[in-house]
Amino acid sequence: METQLDSVKDDLPLMANTSYMLVKHYILDLDVDFRTKVIEGTVVLFFEPGSRYRKTSSTGKEGCQSQCDETCEMRTSEPCHVPVAGVSPSLSDTECNDFAVCGEGEEDTSDKNGNHSNEERASGISSSKDCCDIENHGNKDFLLVLDCCDLSVLKVEEVDVASVSGIEKFTRSAKLTVVSKELENLRNQIVHELVTLPAHRWKEQLYYFTRCSQAPGCGELLFTTGAWSLEIRKSGIQTPTDFPRAVRIRYKTKLEGRSVTWTTDQNGRPCVYTMGSPINNRALFPCQEPPVALSTWQASVRTAAGFVVLTSGENSAEPVQLQEGILSWYYYVTMPMPASTFTIAVGCWQEVKQQSFTAAAQTDIEFSLPSSQTDCRWHEEICGHVEYPCRFQNPAARLQAVIPYRVFAPWCLMERCEEHLLQLIPQCLSAAYTTLGIHPFSRLDVLIVPSNFSSLGMASPHIIFLSQSVLPGGSHLCGTRLCHEIAHAWFGLAIGAHDWTEEWISEGFATFLEDIFWARAQQLSHDEVKGQQELKALLRWRRLRDEVQNSEEELQVLR
């Protein structure tokens, strides 16, 4: 049985075996139901074999065995408990919560080895099996492990991408003529061709990702869930190379899940948003959470009319009415990002607009840099990251000091947002551009989140959450916090920590840059900047000293 974690002493476990299988793209198709407080739908994952498998294994057997050794050292496996039809008197309360117990008249669909088929509709198993199923007649099946917590997984299946009309264009590559024409290999090769399309074909890539995600299933996959993971295998498949590259997971969230918060806004209207930080997004959708697992995504979210859906996306989504009373919102991201940076907020938000000021501000600020300063900064450079439609290589982005932005808030806070926040955003964006250059992201949404938000702000791709607490403090508190979160677009998002132990570096850069951004946004003199920075440095030193003197030693260790 998986070890229960102490939230004070233990680190958040990263269970995903990203060295062997790496998610390259997610497609989320979700329904948000405020009546039941459940988010339900599917996520389709498109994979490529991981770097460690390719490096360490010239044959699939060696790679799978090394993964077995690694994973089995990480956790102790127990025999998988199988629910017996109608009766389970010996199970503890904890075990019962996670078990699929067959009710009267239902059929026990688990096989003799304790593996769940999808007909059970419940996915909890209290223990984790070995990464390779040694008990299955001596075979060692490859086990895909995803980070997952507090989700009801209902079904896992391979997606028949080969059935998509027009997909045959991805089977004409010379690479495909030398492989077996078996259907399984064909499907995997199609996914490989799709995820490796050059950056300039990103629109075509997203189109076919969507079409593939809607293709029928071609076989259910065996799966088990633990406290922190979802484990998937296909009987007889022993290597990551042969494992299905397109997998659809049907699931729904649980009310106790800690990735999303169901609450009410400042007007008492229902809303839900991702907190992200406590356990990242593993209670929102099964994913790979190590920061090195970079992927793109698309998200279609349906909810009742009257609600606004905001997510991490490059496009400013407009709702589409699917049926009376139901709207659908679609977002996409083409920059590979960690799954933990995905954010969603659904509520009765109102867009704060002040058209006359916004248009004038953007016109005045956008081209405020002297030509000499502009010329010296924008010399041609070649990015060293993986290929994607990069703004740093986009000439049009080089003169965009203020990217398009929107502000959303409950209606009771709209006047404060219009008075303080709305006019600060172009000033802060322009100051960031003057300091660091091209904005990594093409647009920005700013949302005033509900009062139970536990921080002053949180930055995600294309969207910033701000606490209502920054609004009454005048322009200084609001401006410095906004500058801090804008700085995270460069440090924390475009450039991220290699692992979670280095996350403090991103915070350090953002804290340092917020003073520089804010000083430039205010257009302070040199002496005023120096005085302000010295005062803030003194206040920060005193706060750090007081925390060290008045906190237990174990709380001073950064994990």
Side-chain angles (χ1 to χ4, degrees):
M1 186 177 296
E2 291 187 351
T3 305
Q4 294 297 315
L5 296 181
D6 185 327
S7 60
V8 175
K9 298 180 180 180
D10 297 324
D11 290 322
L12 182 67
L14 298 177
M15 307 297 289
N17 50 352
T18 55
S19 296
Y20 296 90
M21 290 290 284
L22 199 59
V23 179
K24 306 300 289 186
H25 190 75
Y26 296 91
I27 292 192
L28 293 155
D29 190 48
L30 305 175
D31 291 284
V32 179
D33 189 336
F34 283 96
R35 182 181 57 83
T36 60
K37 294 184 178 180
V38 166
I39 299 175
E40 182 174 1
T42 63
V43 57
V44 178
L45 302 86
F46 296 88
F47 293 94
E48 280 276 82
S51 59
R52 180 170 179 177
Y53 179 79
R54 292 195 298 267
K55 291 179 181 178
T56 61
S57 174
S58 58
T59 65
K61 185 179 295 184
E62 179 184 350
C64 187
Q65 185 59 52
S66 63
Q67 184 217 11
C68 276
D69 297 340
E70 175 186 327
T71 309
C72 294
E73 288 175 3
M74 195 167 55
R75 64 177 185 265
T76 303
S77 296
E78 293 184 357
C80 180
H81 300 287
V82 183
V84 179
V87 192
S88 56
S90 61
L91 296 179
S92 66
D93 291 341
T94 303
E95 290 172 324
C96 285
N97 288 337
D98 284 334
F99 265 80
V101 180
C102 302
E104 186 175 352
E106 293 179 331
E107 183 180 357
D108 181 4
T109 57
S110 56
D111 63 25
K112 295 181 180 179
N113 296 307
N115 302 307
H116 283 265
S117 74
N118 292 305
E119 295 175 6
E120 290 177 90
R121 292 192 57 78
S123 59
I125 291 186
S126 61
S127 62
S128 297
K129 298 190 68 178
D130 294 345
C131 65
C132 300
D133 183 14
I134 301 175
E135 298 178 33
N136 188 14
H137 306 292
N139 293 329
K140 298 177 180 178
D141 290 342
F142 170 75
L143 194 69
L144 172 68
V145 184
L146 300 174
D147 294 302
C148 177
C149 178
D150 296 328
L151 292 177
S152 295
V153 179
L154 308 175
K155 183 178 183 180
V156 181
E157 63 181 347
E158 182 179 358
V159 180
D160 186 10
V161 297
S163 67
V164 174
S165 175
I167 203 70
E168 58 271 8
K169 67 170 64 179
F170 298 107
T171 65
R172 295 171 185 168
S173 167
K175 300 176 186 177
L176 295 181
T177 61
V178 298
V179 300
S180 169
K181 289 299 181 181
E182 293 181 4
L183 195 54
E184 290 184 359
N185 289 337
L186 182 63
R187 294 189 190 108
N188 284 353
Q189 287 299 314
I190 288 172
V191 174
H192 172 74
E193 293 288 307
L194 185 55
V195 301
T196 56
L197 281 179
H200 70 273
R201 296 175 64 183
W202 65 270
K203 290 184 179 179
E204 179 186 14
Q205 185 182 51
L206 292 183
Y207 171 77
Y208 278 102
F209 273 140
T210 300
R211 294 286 306 280
C212 288
S213 72
Q214 298 166 350
C218 56
E220 296 183 358
L221 302 177
L222 302 170
F223 67 95
T224 59
T225 59
W228 297 100
S229 65
L230 169 63
E231 302 174 347
I232 305 170
R233 69 181 181 88
K234 182 175 181 179
S235 182
I237 297 300
Q238 302 179 23
T239 69
T241 301
D242 296 327
F243 196 82
R245 306 284 182 87
V247 174
R248 181 188 294 116
I249 303 171
R250 176 165 293 280
Y251 71 98
K252 58 183 178 180
T253 61
K254 296 181 180 179
L255 188 57
E256 63 268 26
R258 287 163 284 172
S259 293
V260 294
T261 298
W262 298 88
T263 185
T264 54
D265 64 18
Q266 291 83 345
N267 287 115
R269 301 293 301 274
C271 61
V272 60
Y273 65 100
T274 48
M275 287 296 293
S277 53
I279 61 167
N280 296 329
N281 281 326
R282 64 183 64 192
L284 176 60
F285 62 97
C287 57
Q288 293 180 333
E289 293 215 315
V292 295
L294 304 180
S295 59
T296 53
W297 58 74
Q298 296 165 266
S300 295
V301 182
R302 292 170 296 278
T303 192
F307 290 91
V308 174
V309 177
L310 303 175
T311 75
S312 306
E314 296 173 15
N315 59 313
S316 299
E318 293 294 334
V320 176
Q321 183 169 335
L322 299 180
Q323 61 190 61
E324 186 176 357
I326 301 294
L327 299 180
S328 177
W329 305 69
Y330 167 76
Y331 290 88
Y332 65 84
V333 162
T334 60
M335 177 193 290
M337 303 288 294
S340 59
T341 63
F342 177 85
T343 298
I344 185 172
V346 185
C348 300
W349 327 119
Q350 302 291 319
E351 184 174 358
V352 183
K353 296 182 179 180
Q354 194 176 25
Q355 296 290 348
S356 57
F357 173 81
T358 303
Q362 295 204 27
T363 302
D364 293 340
I365 295 174
E366 188 159 350
F367 301 103
S368 60
L369 290 180
S371 59
S372 60
Q373 186 176 356
T374 305
D375 293 341
C376 71
R377 180 181 294 126
W378 307 131
H379 54 87
E380 288 293 333
E381 293 184 356
I382 299 177
C383 294
H385 54 67
V386 297
E387 188 179 13
Y388 67 87
C390 177
R391 280 177 55 81
F392 294 104
Q393 299 296 319
N394 183 354
R398 295 178 178 177
L399 296 177
Q400 197 175 24
V402 179
I403 56 176
Y405 61 89
R406 304 182 299 179
V407 177
F408 292 87
W411 68 262
C412 66
L413 296 177
M414 291 182 67
E415 185 175 345
R416 287 186 182 179
C417 289
E418 185 175 340
E419 181 181 354
H420 297 295
L421 179 59
L422 198 61
Q423 55 188 302
L424 288 174
I425 294 177
Q427 298 173 22
C428 296
L429 287 172
S430 182
Y433 169 86
T434 305
T435 306
L436 296 179
I438 297 175
H439 292 280
F441 301 103
S442 58
R443 69 173 198 93
L444 176 66
D445 284 339
V446 179
L447 172 66
I448 303 299
V449 287
S451 56
N452 67 341
F453 185 59
S454 59
S455 176
L456 289 178
M458 185 175 72
S460 299
H462 309 281
I463 185 170
I464 289 174
F465 288 172
L466 284 183
S467 168
Q468 64 177 18
S469 301
V470 305
L471 297 178
S475 62
H476 181 79
L477 178 58
C478 189
T480 53
R481 176 47 53 173
L482 185 59
C483 286
H484 180 97
E485 303 306 334
I486 289 174
H488 275 308
W490 284 268
F491 297 98
L493 295 175
I495 303 172
H498 185 266
D499 60 61
W500 296 122
T501 65
E502 299 174 350
E503 188 64 24
W504 64 274
I505 300 177
S506 300
E507 288 300 328
F509 272 113
T511 301
F512 171 73
L513 286 167
E514 74 178 53
D515 293 342
I516 297 175
F517 290 179
W518 182 233
R520 287 187 168 175
Q522 298 174 95
Q523 299 181 341
L524 300 179
S525 67
H526 175 75
D527 290 340
E528 289 173 321
V529 171
K530 184 178 179 181
Q532 190 177 93
Q533 289 180 345
E534 288 178 349
L535 177 60
K536 293 193 73 173
L538 176 61
L539 293 174
R540 286 168 178 159
W541 160 248
R542 288 184 175 179
R543 186 172 61 185
L544 176 62
R545 181 194 61 189
D546 292 343
E547 287 180 356
V548 170
Q549 290 177 348
N550 296 287
S551 60
E552 299 177 12
E553 184 175 353
E554 64 178 16
L555 297 179
Q556 299 174 23
V557 179
L558 183 66
R559 292 190 288 109

